[in-house]
Amino acid sequence: MNGRFIAFEGGEGAGKSTQARLLAEALRARDHEVVLTREPGGTAGAEAIRALLLSTEGDGWGPRAEALLFAAARADHVDKLIRPALARGAFVICDRFLDSSRAYQGGGGGLSDADVLTLHAIGSEGLLPDVAVLLTLAPDVAARRLALRDTAGADRIGGREADYHARVAAAFERFAAEAPDRFVRIEAQGSPAEVHARVLAALDARA
Ligand code: TMP
């Protein structure tokens, strides 16, 4: 498998967390060291920022403050967990990374892509995943999955209106089309095992 830093990307309910876990298990079964992590989060500091970002208390963050907080959480995560793991030769599998900021704070929230990339250059010296696995799912299927999962209600960002999430989905599709060497686009319809088989085949084909 070519590339040790793998991010899972996509809208809400596409199955990213499940697929990240299944890929981690498959790579461990091949005797690789794997760090499985998520954004926002992955370190104590970044998890604290996650709580600030997703809490439904108070009146929330404006788009610029939100983008800065995601970039700050990512800076801590990259510095303390991701770069050290890559340096010792481990695989890093991350449930969301930079392309989520480009899609949600850029495409959905209205910041320019250049601004989001500038924040990333400052915070994380522009570190990019070797491959971003984009899981795509029809909005009605994703909504059904979320309704089954969300017993405690949506968080501040997941709970935004359908228009916002449509802009996010369109932005992800645009990024994948613009950078086919960095993105693998996977249809997320079907059972977790079926989708996992697609992910593994696509990543092995890149080797
Ligand atoms: P999760 O539900 O995948 O854990 O992600 C939490 C929420 O944060 C989700 O609605 C997507 C959003 N998000 C952004 O808006 N920008 C980002 O950079 C990241 C990593 C997540």
Side-chain angles (χ1 to χ4, degrees):
M1 197 170 286
N2 193 358
R4 292 188 170 254
F5 182 15
I6 301 164
F8 279 83
E9 296 284 9
E12 319 283 319
K16 291 177 300 301
S17 309
T18 303
Q19 291 305 321
R21 181 175 48 75
L22 291 174
L23 180 62
E25 285 166 9
L27 290 174
R28 283 178 187 138
R30 295 180 186 180
D31 282 336
H32 294 297
E33 186 198 347
V34 178
V35 173
L36 174 62
T37 185
R38 69 167 182 181
E39 290 210 338
T43 58
E47 291 289 339
I49 295 175
R50 177 186 179 94
L52 292 175
L53 276 162
L54 300 185
S55 164
T56 49
E57 279 169 26
D59 57 2
W61 304 98
R64 286 170 188 281
E66 185 177 287
L68 285 160
L69 285 169
F70 275 111
R74 185 162 299 126
D76 195 62
H77 190 203
V78 164
D79 184 42
K80 294 190 179 137
L81 188 73
I82 296 179
R83 281 199 196 275
L86 294 172
R88 65 176 186 267
F91 276 87
V92 173
I93 299 177
C94 197
D95 182 351
R96 297 193 181 281
F97 194 69
L98 171 70
D99 295 303
S100 279
S101 282
R102 298 175 68 208
Y104 283 79
Q105 283 64 56
L111 263 77
S112 75
D113 198 41
D115 281 348
V116 175
L117 290 171
T118 298
L119 294 183
H120 187 56
I122 296 168
S124 303
E125 297 173 291
L127 179 70
L128 289 178
D130 297 303
V131 52
V133 179
L134 175 61
L135 296 180
T136 65
L137 198 58
D140 55 323
V141 182
R144 274 202 299 280
R145 282 192 191 174
L146 284 174
L148 289 174
R149 182 178 82 184
D150 272 351
T151 44
D155 61 51
R156 177 165 306 274
I157 297 177
R160 286 177 185 160
E161 77 281 12
D163 270 13
Y164 178 88
H165 290 291
R167 290 199 299 280
V168 168
F172 275 129
E173 291 291 352
R174 207 164 53 242
F175 304 152
E178 284 167 4
D181 47 333
R182 198 168 68 76
F183 275 87
V184 165
R185 189 177 175 283
I186 302 285
E187 172 57 57
Q189 180 91 40
S191 72
E194 286 165 347
V195 179
H196 172 60
R198 276 176 221 145
V199 169
L200 212 51
L203 291 177
D204 279 335
R206 284 171 49 90

